[in-house]
Amino acid sequence: MSTEKISFLLNWQPTPYHIPIYLAQTKGLFAKHGVDMAILEPSNPSDVTELIGLGKVDMGLKAMIHTLAAKARGFPVTSVGSLLDEPFTGVVYLEGSGITTDFQSLKGKRIGYVGEFGKIQVDELTKHYGMTPNDYTAVRCGMNVAKYIIEGKIDAGIGIECIQLVELEEYCRSVGRPVTDAKMLRIDKLAELGCCCFCTILYIANDEFLAANPEKVKRFLRAVKEATDYILANPKEAWSEYCDFKPQMNTPLNLKKFQRCFAYMSESLYNVHRDWKKVTGYGKRLEILPPDYVPNYTNGLLEWPEPKEAEDPLENQRRIAVHQEECRSCGSFKRAILT
């Protein structure tokens, strides 16, 4: 049997930053642009690029580093746009765990990671700081890094600022600890990368599906762009609509996550050339990409003007860090003013 539906696989169970996908559905934007969607949720986030690359699913979401590695491993996928730009990613932990801003304080600790590439990143960092992978105990946690830290199963773990760090902050608040007891050692700073874009969340497609259905993918992108425009202009109303459709989103914790994700949401959906260049170089440094690897992304299906790239991306990261500190203190739907 054939179908006109686009099958679309999320990178995990519904999360605050998935809001453009669901609002494009509930507001009838996919239908408006002539797209019939089947939105799927994975039981294991590590399956996503493999299922899309094998053609079992047409499109989905995945982080940049995983998208690059998938193609290098023979799973033909291409990024056609960005959902979440450069969320801060790093080693999250709680004050009092014996971990400090010195990476070598992780020696002898239990470090959690979501999937394979999290461990590769930590292993590479240990070498960068004169240690070996044998100097820590790796624990695969899936998406439960914060939960494992709270339960004492690990001392620290790889997470992103607008999800796992928020979970640790809310735990601190619930037990009467300062939210500042939730800490992060940012990987981009530890590894001297000059960017934190390896965890940028992308709209990806199976290459065969993309080649056969470029107009269908264009219509999909028009719909999610319209949904994104609505969310950025009306965040409170958009969040209310999302919670109405997905009642499990309607919690104070998820609201705080959405407020923090809001600063990272891509307004243009464009793949950022500078970021792809840097992360491709990082992938080669991690030895998950061959020396001659060509980045697997395209902006050719986006039909609105491409924005000018940031004049000073490091200054933008500093501004977002300040913005997120303010958001943690009082909550905010404001966007950081960037260069």
Side-chain angles (χ1 to χ4, degrees):
M1 295 179 65
S2 63
T3 176
E4 286 302 308
K5 284 186 181 290
I6 293 178
S7 54
F8 188 93
L9 186 60
L10 302 179
N11 57 332
W12 187 227
Q13 62 193 18
T15 300
Y17 63 73
H18 292 145
I19 187 171
I21 305 298
Y22 282 108
L23 284 200
Q25 184 86 303
T26 62
K27 295 182 76 63
L29 301 177
F30 286 134
K32 171 184 172 182
H33 291 282
V35 181
D36 190 7
M37 296 294 297
I39 302 171
L40 310 172
E41 302 167 13
S43 57
N44 183 344
S46 297
D47 293 337
V48 174
T49 47
E50 182 174 344
L51 289 172
I52 297 172
L54 290 172
K56 305 294 185 182
V57 182
D58 300 324
M59 298 184 67
L61 295 174
K62 203 60 182 172
M64 189 181 290
I65 190 72
H66 298 97
T67 301
L68 284 160
K71 188 70 171 279
R73 291 182 169 191
F75 297 114
V77 297
T78 295
S79 171
V80 296
S82 300
L83 189 160
L84 213 64
D85 277 335
E86 296 197 72
F88 294 144
T89 307
V91 180
V92 295
Y93 63 97
L94 290 172
E95 182 74 25
S97 62
I99 298 170
T100 70
T101 54
D102 179 0
F103 184 82
Q104 291 188 336
S105 66
L106 292 171
K107 191 170 184 177
K109 303 297 185 184
R110 298 161 298 168
I111 310 300
Y113 62 98
V114 175
E116 175 187 5
F117 296 114
K119 185 178 188 306
I120 290 172
Q121 286 179 307
V122 178
D123 285 352
E124 199 273 341
L125 283 170
T126 59
K127 296 174 186 176
H128 190 67
Y129 284 88
M131 300 157 59
T132 75
N134 293 324
D135 286 325
Y136 78 99
T137 300
V139 180
R140 188 162 185 161
C141 304
M143 301 298 284
N144 297 312
V145 166
K147 179 176 182 288
Y148 275 37
I149 292 173
I150 292 166
E151 292 176 351
K153 295 178 181 177
I154 58 175
D155 302 296
I158 302 294
I160 63 175
E161 183 268 340
C162 53
I163 302 293
Q164 285 85 5
L165 188 62
V166 175
E167 292 172 354
L168 288 183
E169 290 169 359
E170 287 308 290
Y171 163 73
C172 289
R173 185 177 280 111
S174 72
V175 297
R177 294 177 62 171
V179 294
T180 51
D181 277 2
K183 306 285 189 182
M184 172 183 278
L185 301 177
R186 281 170 44 187
I187 288 177
D188 60 301
K189 290 185 174 181
L190 292 171
E192 301 174 347
L193 295 177
C195 74
C196 47
C197 40
F198 47 88
C199 278
T200 290
I201 306 298
L202 305 168
Y203 297 105
I204 68 172
N206 171 272
D207 284 358
E208 186 175 343
F209 171 80
L210 182 59
N213 299 278
E215 291 304 317
K216 191 181 287 189
V217 176
K218 285 182 182 179
R219 295 198 300 271
F220 166 84
L221 291 167
R222 287 176 208 149
V224 293
K225 176 64 163 67
E226 192 169 338
T228 300
D229 289 345
Y230 174 76
I231 293 160
L232 295 179
N234 308 280
K236 292 181 181 179
E237 294 85 350
W239 181 248
S240 178
E241 292 175 41
Y242 188 26
C243 290
D244 186 57
F245 181 70
K246 285 285 185 184
Q248 67 265 41
M249 288 291 103
N250 195 16
T251 68
L253 175 59
N254 279 326
L255 173 59
K256 287 183 170 66
K257 288 180 182 179
F258 176 54
Q259 289 171 331
R260 298 275 273 277
C261 289
F262 192 69
Y264 300 116
M265 291 185 70
S266 174
E267 183 175 1
S268 71
L269 275 60
Y270 269 81
N271 289 285
V272 179
H273 305 290
R274 170 189 60 86
D275 293 350
W276 277 92
K277 181 178 180 180
K278 283 182 173 289
V279 180
T280 299
Y282 182 47
K284 293 174 182 178
R285 170 174 153 183
L286 294 176
E287 299 181 348
I288 61 174
L289 301 178
D292 60 348
Y293 189 86
V294 177
N296 48 322
Y297 74 97
T298 179
N299 287 326
L301 301 169
L302 301 171
E303 300 171 300
W304 43 92
E306 182 172 1
K308 182 180 177 182
E309 291 201 9
E311 296 177 4
D312 189 343
L314 293 181
E315 171 62 16
N316 281 349
Q317 289 185 7
R318 187 196 69 79
R319 291 185 185 189
I320 288 179
V322 171
H323 173 84
Q324 296 298 66
E325 285 292 323
E326 294 172 353
C327 186
R328 179 173 68 178
S329 300
C330 59
S332 171
F333 284 115
K334 295 180 180 179
R335 302 268 284 174
I337 300 173
L338 305 178
T339 63

